[in-house]
Amino acid sequence: NAGKSQHNEDQACCEVVFVEQRPSPRGWLSSREGFYFHYWALFDGHAGSGAAVMASERLHLHICEAGSAEPNQVSSTEDHGEVPNDAVPRFHLEKAVSHESLVIGAIENAFKHMDDQIERERASQHLPGGCCALAAIYLMGKFYVANAGDSRAIIIRNGEIIPMSREFTPETERQRLQFLALLRPELLGKEFTHLEFPRRIQPKELGKKMLYRDQNMNGWAYKKIEEDDLKFPLIFGEGKKARMMATIGVTRGLGDHDLKVFSSNIHIKPFLSCFPEVRVYDLTQYEHCPDDVLVLGTDGLWDVTNDKEVAGVVMEVLMSYEPNDPCRYTMVAQELVVRSRGVLKERGWRLANDKLGSGDDISVFVIPLGGPGNYT
Amino acid sequence: NAGKSQHNEDQACCEVVFVEQRPSPRGWLSSREGFYFHYWALFDGHAGSGAAVMASERLHLHICEAGSAEPNQVSSTEDHGEVPNDAVPRFHLEKAVSHESLVIGAIENAFKHMDDQIERERASQHLPGGCCALAAIYLMGKFYVANAGDSRAIIIRNGEIIPMSREFTPETERQRLQFLALLRPELLGKEFTHLEFPRRIQPKELGKKMLYRDQNMNGWAYKKIEEDDLKFPLIFGEGKKARMMATIGVTRGLGDHDLKVFSSNIHIKPFLSCFPEVRVYDLTQYEHCPDDVLVLGTDGLWDVTNDKEVAGVVMEVLMSYEPNDPCRYTMVAQELVVRSRGVLKERGWRLANDKLGSGDDISVFVIPLGGPGNYT
């Protein structure tokens, strides 16, 4: 906790979760009893810790729920009803659905159900604000890393950095946000334009030519400035200062159902998506040594310590412990937090090189991929 | 031409284009006279060759037009008006726009202007149907490869394959199409559902559970089947047989302004995008030998000959000619066409291995990256 808020707005959860299998032919596993998955997650709250606290207590339960087989479902690949009269096979042209994509779908829907629960209970449970969510699920030899927001996950394998997530910000999601605003202009409440310009346009520039980007463009081109272009742009600012509707710097996450543009009745939520991007890493495809790890961190870490520096700290700290010492991963996580925080001086938090340290809450998981113990 | 149509529905263009610079501080180049770019493009027509023929004659002119500096524009990075009264810099927080992204924007808009021209002139010029478009532009040390459709470009450098495009089909663009259909359901004319299912659902399955994917999902999850889910899916079929609204197998391209779902009044065009994806390859970043090439091909080539096989033919043919023989690249292109076509036997076109040859028109450009001559 950086001291900017009384309660830590970063929250975390780490669990081994048992999924009880309901009798059905199409669960994640054919076993009737059930199965386990391992789970780690970070929640970076904003405008209060409420949403982050609730998500840290419940998201894994929603994943558990989504992962147990649905009763009364129609088998999608096996024919176990009567055969119809027509000559073509009943399930002609059926698409094969992999086990992996069922797990991904279950995680995606669990995020949605979590978001719905926050919406339902936000008044009674006092849950203002929202949170970014980053979760890693280990199941049957694979890591599923689900990210909604600006936290980040990387794997460090034999010194190599493998990104396991990408950040969702007004800049990275520009085209999705512009597309939505173009198709549903009423969501902008006459205050914003969905077009992007390199800077605010001044009224006296009406009729002149200006560079712009629309939702279907990656490059910039010229247009004649019209009245509508004088509105505030949907996306404005660069890097950490980029904001959607001048309000929020992340474009995915849980909660924020009451968030509006300042002194207006324009809701942010239709643009904020609760759906994560899920990346899969197949542990069985590679040999892993005890120094290979998956690192999850909130933006408090990544804002001041880049991927390469994190990999450096991981290697440096792990080297100073015996390979079979289970504490070594905890020590890496602590060292990453301490180095990114720095020391409180007169001019704020400072790093060893006197650069500005992170003024944000910082949370880190360091998960061994080839260390002592295993997840089965 | 495969013989399936009287006129070749594949069309091509190869030009050195001079862009006359209008006096302005912000063209692609500061030179007042102008500059050249090199241009190669393939157009794979469907439902007639009209759109492909027109695009092959005009697209480069639209790029030329978009690339010449606009008169009377507002400089976006230089301040050459009077300084306003307020204390902050006039162009505070201005985003820097690179030369590269101006070229990309010009190409993107040229595709749009080309599409608009086909729309305007389709009646008078008899331009039924549409076409996929793949264009490579060489300008100031960089290749810009713009693709709208299912043609493909690859670079072969020192035996390594570097993809320079991706195909736009109902499967690869599923989420964009579903998002549009979700936000504008009236475009589906009550005939289609934007959800994806692994197969058609039967009326008697109402109320049961079925796997589905929505626009914000990559995985599959279960839902209870409702009345709406019995409609025909927006995207149906797999691989080369995948269709949008049971009508078309590509989701980007030029033309098709009159295309409707069979025996209905539902227009395809709102879903078909004319905007290309532009990828950039910086020639100056690598050393190139005479065997390094950029290959552009319509799907007639790629359907039967994959990237690796194409790279094999390139190496095999180039080896049999002197490195400074300019004919060697033409011979590669011819060989690629001949091998993908095969020989007409009783059971259709057959390849050397007796597999089915391409029944489609085939067009190939083989462009040397480090051979004799240069583009400056």
Side-chain angles (χ1 to χ4, degrees):
Chain A
N1 175 234
K4 63 169 188 169
S5 56
Q6 200 184 349
H7 295 285
N8 196 342
E9 293 188 345
D10 274 10
Q11 295 289 321
C13 179
C14 170
E15 292 273 352
V16 179
V17 183
F18 181 67
V19 183
E20 206 176 339
Q21 203 77 350
R22 287 174 238 165
S24 154
R26 286 274 296 195
W28 281 354
L29 284 178
S30 51
S31 146
R32 283 219 159 196
E33 301 83 44
F35 59 92
Y36 290 92
F37 66 84
H38 290 65
Y39 170 88
W40 300 257
L42 296 177
F43 304 91
D44 180 352
H46 48 255
S49 59
V53 169
M54 175 173 253
S56 71
E57 290 168 353
R58 305 287 179 84
L59 180 61
H60 57 291
L61 303 178
H62 285 290
I63 296 173
C64 180
E65 179 73 17
S68 65
E70 298 275 1
N72 193 28
Q73 76 217 8
V74 178
S75 161
S76 168
T77 47
E78 293 149 59
D79 185 348
H80 54 97
E82 76 267 44
V83 178
N85 281 337
D86 51 51
V88 293
R90 180 170 165 196
F91 296 140
H92 184 59
L93 289 178
E94 176 152 31
K95 215 164 199 167
V97 174
S98 68
H99 172 264
E100 188 175 297
S101 65
L102 288 173
V103 178
I104 293 170
I107 295 169
E108 288 170 333
N109 266 335
F111 273 65
K112 173 69 179 143
H113 296 151
M114 185 69 244
D115 196 52
D116 291 344
Q117 187 182 15
I118 293 173
E119 182 174 20
R120 282 195 311 273
E121 302 182 13
R122 71 190 193 281
S124 61
Q125 303 280 315
H126 186 61
L127 306 169
C131 65
C132 296
L134 171 64
I137 289 105
Y138 175 81
L139 176 70
M140 293 174 69
K142 289 176 180 171
F143 264 103
Y144 296 82
V145 178
N147 185 43
D150 64 356
S151 295
R152 188 189 298 167
I154 62 171
I155 279 175
I156 299 158
R157 186 183 69 212
N158 201 11
E160 187 196 349
I161 293 160
I162 302 156
M164 286 303 295
S165 68
R166 62 185 172 109
E167 286 88 74
F168 295 98
T169 67
E171 288 189 305
T172 66
E173 292 223 276
R174 173 181 62 85
Q175 291 183 282
R176 175 178 73 78
L177 302 171
Q178 287 186 311
F179 194 34
L180 175 55
L182 173 72
L183 295 175
R184 288 273 176 86
E186 70 276 12
L187 297 177
L188 300 178
K190 295 180 185 168
E191 297 292 324
F192 297 91
T193 166
H194 79 277
L195 293 181
E196 185 186 17
F197 301 98
R199 59 170 172 82
R200 284 303 305 277
I201 298 170
Q202 304 174 329
K204 66 175 175 188
E205 293 173 324
L206 257 176
K208 294 194 175 177
K209 299 261 181 173
M210 184 67 170
L211 286 170
Y212 80 105
R213 280 203 290 191
D214 205 344
Q215 49 87 21
N216 40 25
M217 298 168 68
N218 271 305
W220 294 83
Y222 287 100
K223 82 181 290 285
K224 201 187 225 180
I225 300 171
E226 295 163 65
E227 194 71 40
D228 243 25
D229 303 331
L230 300 178
K231 293 177 180 171
F232 200 84
L234 172 65
I235 293 157
F236 191 66
E238 285 188 275
K240 286 302 282 184
K241 288 181 177 156
R243 290 287 176 277
M244 175 170 64
M245 294 168 134
T247 304
I248 189 166
V250 292
T251 52
R252 300 217 193 177
L254 305 169
D256 286 318
H257 297 88
D258 297 318
L259 187 61
K260 292 179 185 179
V261 174
F262 180 71
S263 87
S264 86
N265 204 26
I266 303 170
H267 284 266
I268 298 293
K269 192 66 179 177
F271 293 91
L272 249 183
S273 168
C274 66
F275 276 80
E277 181 187 73
V278 183
R279 295 197 183 181
V280 184
Y281 180 82
D282 189 343
L283 266 186
T284 66
Q285 294 297 298
Y286 306 92
E287 287 278 329
H288 293 93
C289 71
D291 286 8
D292 295 342
V293 294
L294 168 62
V295 178
L296 312 183
T298 53
D299 66 336
L301 171 70
W302 305 105
D303 285 350
V304 296
T305 313
N306 66 30
D307 293 8
K308 227 172 148 181
E309 289 164 341
V310 166
V313 173
V314 165
M315 281 188 277
E316 184 189 321
V317 175
L318 289 182
M319 252 193 324
S320 62
Y321 290 84
E322 289 295 317
N324 58 356
D325 182 346
C327 289
R328 63 205 293 262
Y329 306 103
T330 309
M331 298 318 292
V332 174
Q334 288 186 1
E335 184 67 20
L336 284 170
V337 171
V338 166
R339 289 212 197 177
S340 304
R341 168 65 67 238
V343 176
L344 190 56
K345 297 189 178 172
E346 283 160 42
R347 296 159 302 135
W349 295 97
R350 292 280 158 179
L351 304 182
N353 57 12
D354 209 45
K355 276 194 186 163
L356 212 58
S358 177
D360 199 358
D361 299 336
I362 308 173
S363 304
V364 181
F365 272 123
V366 177
I367 304 165
L369 302 181
N374 64 52
Y375 308 113
T376 56
Chain B
N1 177 234
K4 63 171 189 166
S5 55
Q6 201 184 346
H7 296 286
N8 196 342
E9 293 188 344
D10 274 8
Q11 295 290 320
C13 179
C14 170
E15 293 272 354
V16 179
V17 183
F18 180 69
V19 182
E20 206 176 340
Q21 204 76 349
R22 288 175 237 164
S24 156
R26 286 275 295 192
W28 282 352
L29 284 178
S30 52
S31 147
R32 283 218 158 200
E33 301 85 42
F35 58 92
Y36 290 92
F37 67 84
H38 290 65
Y39 170 88
W40 301 257
L42 296 177
F43 304 91
D44 180 352
H46 48 254
S49 59
V53 169
M54 175 174 252
S56 71
E57 291 168 351
R58 305 286 179 83
L59 180 61
H60 56 290
L61 304 178
H62 285 290
I63 295 173
C64 180
E65 179 73 18
S68 66
E70 297 276 2
N72 194 26
Q73 76 218 8
V74 178
S75 162
S76 169
T77 46
E78 294 149 60
D79 185 348
H80 54 98
E82 75 267 47
V83 178
N85 281 336
D86 51 52
V88 294
R90 180 170 166 197
F91 296 139
H92 183 59
L93 288 177
E94 175 151 33
K95 215 165 199 166
V97 174
S98 67
H99 172 264
E100 188 175 298
S101 65
L102 287 173
V103 179
I104 293 170
I107 295 169
E108 288 170 332
N109 266 335
F111 272 66
K112 173 67 178 144
H113 296 152
M114 186 69 244
D115 197 51
D116 291 345
Q117 186 181 17
I118 293 173
E119 182 173 21
R120 283 193 310 272
E121 301 182 14
R122 71 191 193 280
S124 61
Q125 302 280 315
H126 187 59
L127 306 169
C131 65
C132 296
L134 171 63
I137 289 104
Y138 174 82
L139 176 70
M140 292 173 69
K142 290 177 180 171
F143 264 102
Y144 297 81
V145 178
N147 185 43
D150 63 356
S151 295
R152 188 188 301 167
I154 62 172
I155 280 175
I156 300 157
R157 186 183 68 212
N158 202 11
E160 188 196 349
I161 293 160
I162 302 156
M164 286 303 294
S165 69
R166 62 186 172 108
E167 286 87 75
F168 295 96
T169 67
E171 288 188 304
T172 65
E173 293 223 275
R174 173 181 62 84
Q175 290 182 282
R176 174 178 74 78
L177 302 171
Q178 286 186 311
F179 194 34
L180 175 56
L182 172 72
L183 296 175
R184 288 274 176 85
E186 70 276 13
L187 297 177
L188 301 178
K190 294 180 186 170
E191 296 293 322
F192 296 90
T193 166
H194 80 277
L195 294 180
E196 186 186 16
F197 301 97
R199 59 170 173 82
R200 285 304 304 276
I201 299 170
Q202 303 173 329
K204 66 175 175 190
E205 293 173 324
L206 257 176
K208 295 192 175 178
K209 299 260 182 174
M210 184 67 171
L211 286 170
Y212 81 102
R213 280 204 290 192
D214 205 343
Q215 49 87 20
N216 40 24
M217 299 168 66
N218 271 305
W220 295 82
Y222 287 101
K223 83 181 290 286
K224 202 187 225 180
I225 300 170
E226 296 162 64
E227 195 71 40
D228 242 25
D229 303 330
L230 300 178
K231 293 176 179 171
F232 201 85
L234 173 65
I235 293 156
F236 191 66
E238 285 188 275
K240 287 301 283 183
K241 287 179 178 159
R243 290 287 177 278
M244 176 170 65
M245 295 169 135
T247 303
I248 190 167
V250 292
T251 52
R252 300 216 194 177
L254 305 168
D256 286 318
H257 298 88
D258 297 318
L259 187 62
K260 291 179 186 181
V261 174
F262 180 71
S263 86
S264 85
N265 204 27
I266 303 170
H267 283 267
I268 297 293
K269 191 67 179 178
F271 293 92
L272 250 182
S273 168
C274 65
F275 276 80
E277 181 186 74
V278 182
R279 297 197 183 181
V280 184
Y281 180 82
D282 189 344
L283 266 185
T284 66
Q285 293 297 300
Y286 306 92
E287 287 278 329
H288 293 93
C289 72
D291 286 8
D292 294 342
V293 293
L294 167 62
V295 178
L296 312 181
T298 52
D299 66 336
L301 171 70
W302 306 105
D303 285 350
V304 296
T305 313
N306 66 30
D307 293 6
K308 227 171 148 182
E309 290 164 340
V310 166
V313 172
V314 166
M315 282 188 277
E316 184 189 320
V317 176
L318 290 182
M319 250 193 323
S320 63
Y321 289 84
E322 290 295 317
N324 58 356
D325 182 346
C327 289
R328 62 205 293 264
Y329 307 103
T330 309
M331 299 318 293
V332 174
Q334 288 186 2
E335 184 66 21
L336 284 170
V337 172
V338 166
R339 288 211 198 177
S340 304
R341 167 64 69 239
V343 176
L344 190 55
K345 296 188 178 173
E346 283 159 43
R347 296 158 303 136
W349 295 97
R350 292 280 159 179
L351 304 182
N353 58 11
D354 209 44
K355 277 193 185 162
L356 212 58
S358 176
D360 200 357
D361 299 336
I362 308 173
S363 303
V364 181
F365 272 122
V366 176
I367 304 165
L369 301 181
N374 64 54
Y375 308 114
T376 55

